[in-house]
Amino acid sequence: MITRMKFRYPIIIILALAVTGCTTRLPQIYLLAPGSAPVKLKKTARTLYVDEFTVASEYARPQFVYRTSPYRVYFDSVRRWAVSPDDMIRELVHRRLTETNLFDRVTLERGIKAPDFTLRCHVVSLGEAVKQKVRSSELALYFELLDNEENVLWSATKVRTKVVDNEQFESVIAAISEGLDAIIDESADEIMNKIK
């Protein structure tokens, strides 16, 4: 009987490890991506430096964030961003502003010569809201445009939310990407009117 008991415990432990190993889910990695080409704007012979972006502390992590109320936040253990949210959004803003042709040069590096303008951004929210079984994408960005003497010429908070009916999680990422495209295009148009 003692011999049987000796062999029973290792088998139970092996089975327990096998079961827990089977239930572990691999991380799913996501990136935002532009969904459309931006509208070409009237070109100016000016340069723009896109400064390092900042991000609200609850979103400064690789885990995807979702809320069920204004007071409760969750960090998804499976869904993650491929890169930090502030770097990802900064690169997409840079790329899209370059494609608008509004500026002679849009750069992520300061360089030797001071740029005509600097764009700063703070990521206020980035994720998903789930309220009474209704899923919505959430994106809010605060922008500031500064001249070469650090005077604020324009500032705005841009918010985009969209109800997502599809059960596939990629639809949330697509909705956030669409929201980002719309925010950048709207901001570029407002910036163009400020720097005429």
Side-chain angles (χ1 to χ4, degrees), residues 21-191:
C22 292
T23 60
T24 303
R25 294 175 60 193
L26 293 174
Q28 298 170 9
I29 310 298
Y30 295 93
L31 273 174
L32 296 178
S36 62
V39 175
K40 302 288 183 187
L41 300 175
K42 185 179 178 182
K43 193 165 192 166
T44 62
R46 309 279 184 88
T47 58
L48 175 71
Y49 166 62
V50 181
D51 202 351
E52 298 282 337
F53 284 14
T54 59
V55 62
S57 56
E58 64 266 34
Y59 301 100
R61 60 188 64 242
Q63 292 90 355
F64 192 80
V65 177
Y66 64 99
R67 294 180 179 274
T68 55
S69 80
Y71 314 105
R72 190 139 192 201
V73 65
Y74 296 89
F75 303 110
D76 197 310
S77 60
V78 176
R79 299 172 188 140
R80 299 179 184 190
W81 294 114
V83 295
S84 63
D86 48 334
D87 287 341
M88 175 175 55
I89 292 175
R90 180 181 185 228
E91 289 173 13
L92 290 170
V93 167
H94 168 261
R95 187 182 313 160
R96 196 164 182 90
L97 285 176
T98 300
E99 292 172 0
T100 65
N101 285 334
L102 174 59
F103 295 95
D104 190 43
R105 186 168 54 93
V106 181
T107 179
L108 295 172
E109 302 292 331
R110 274 214 179 269
I112 297 169
K113 186 182 175 188
D116 296 309
F117 303 101
T118 298
L119 182 69
R120 292 186 180 150
C121 178
H122 180 70
V123 180
V124 179
S125 69
L126 170 67
E128 178 183 31
V130 182
K131 295 175 186 171
Q132 298 174 351
K133 297 184 181 179
V134 176
R135 298 169 61 214
S136 301
S137 65
E138 290 189 323
L139 177 64
L141 305 174
Y142 171 74
F143 288 107
E144 284 185 343
L145 181 72
L146 294 82
D147 65 14
N148 56 12
E149 294 178 357
E150 300 284 315
N151 299 310
V152 177
L153 303 175
W154 169 83
S155 65
T157 300
K158 302 292 182 180
V159 179
R160 290 293 185 281
T161 60
K162 183 178 180 180
V163 173
V164 179
D165 294 328
N166 193 327
E167 287 297 316
Q168 294 296 321
F169 186 70
E170 283 81 1
S171 60
V172 174
I173 303 299
I176 295 171
S177 296
E178 289 169 18
L180 181 59
D181 287 350
I183 284 173
I184 300 168
D185 292 348
E186 183 179 298
S187 299
D189 195 50
E190 292 176 17
I191 288 169

